[in-house]
Amino acid sequence: MQEPERRRRDPEARRRAIVEATAELITEVGVDAVTHRMIASRAAVPLGATTQYFDTLDDLRAAALQLMIDHVEEQMEVLRTALAERGASPAVLAEIIHAALVDAAAVQTDRAVVTAAVRDPQLRAMARRWSEQVASFLEPEHGAERAVAASVFIDGILWYTQINDDPLPQHIIESALAGILGAPIP
């Protein structure tokens, strides 16, 4: 009789599953509410696996937040590239923002990191840097003050989307950005 084939262990895949589960849970319940038990259940791993790969819950949370930060950084690069290629008009901005708002998970990820930044000075510096980046993308075309105001408005749109069932309509985003940026509406 032949022995059943053993599944090969893939420690890196298990570690990644634990980090991804933690990131999902942070998005859903907040960074402070996440527990080892919740993470193990979500990742479908034994409870001890969470401590096998991470010394503390804080280490695990940090790894998950880094994963989330990397995702937001990728989105920032997409925004930068799109604005560089298409210009930073209110219409282009509204189109890009509205398209991004449809991805509820991405909005939740962004907001979870920003919420965690309220208590964490390192994350706070990063969240400020993201706002500064958005403003820097807009500044050459619209000036520093209007770029900062638009960045604050965009941040507000993300909060609005997080607490409402539907994203803000694109035409409202465009109209508000036109007013903020001092650009005529076509």
Side-chain angles (χ1 to χ4, degrees):
M1 185 163 136
Q2 189 176 14
E3 298 230 359
E5 195 174 315
R6 281 189 156 180
R7 265 197 309 167
R8 288 181 155 218
R9 289 192 175 197
D10 185 349
E12 190 52 39
R14 181 177 265 191
R15 183 183 191 286
R16 187 172 46 255
I18 292 168
V19 172
E20 289 171 356
T22 306
E24 289 171 9
L25 287 164
I26 287 172
T27 298
E28 292 171 19
V29 300
V31 70
D32 293 332
V34 174
T35 66
H36 282 289
R37 193 170 304 284
M38 292 167 71
I39 295 163
S41 176
R42 176 66 60 95
V45 299
L47 183 58
T50 61
T51 56
Q52 177 183 355
Y53 293 96
F54 299 92
D55 290 337
T56 68
L57 186 56
D58 285 340
D59 291 341
L60 182 47
R61 288 175 179 149
L65 284 167
Q66 186 59 56
L67 179 68
M68 297 164 77
I69 288 164
D70 292 346
H71 176 75
V72 174
E73 292 284 351
E74 290 169 11
Q75 298 304 104
M76 291 296 283
E77 183 57 27
V78 168
L79 175 62
R80 187 200 64 73
T81 300
L83 294 177
E85 291 172 356
R86 299 175 58 200
S89 72
V92 169
L93 276 167
E95 180 185 326
I96 293 167
I97 292 165
H98 193 266
L101 296 178
V102 174
D103 184 353
V107 172
Q108 288 176 333
T109 296
D110 177 271
R111 296 299 83 186
V113 173
V114 173
T115 300
V118 171
R119 292 190 183 167
D120 183 322
Q122 287 180 310
L123 290 176
R124 192 173 315 127
M126 186 169 312
R128 274 196 303 262
R129 191 177 86 236
W130 292 335
S131 294
E132 291 165 358
Q133 280 182 322
V134 171
S136 75
F137 301 158
L138 304 176
E139 186 176 344
E141 199 166 324
H142 300 288
E145 286 183 10
R146 290 178 185 270
V148 168
S151 177
V152 170
F153 173 69
I154 291 166
D155 197 46
I157 294 169
L158 293 169
W159 284 118
Y160 175 92
T161 301
Q162 184 69 24
I163 61 174
N164 288 279
D165 293 332
D166 295 314
L168 198 60
Q170 184 173 330
H171 72 279
I172 293 175
I173 297 170
E174 182 177 350
S175 178
L177 284 170
I180 292 167
L181 296 172
I185 300 174

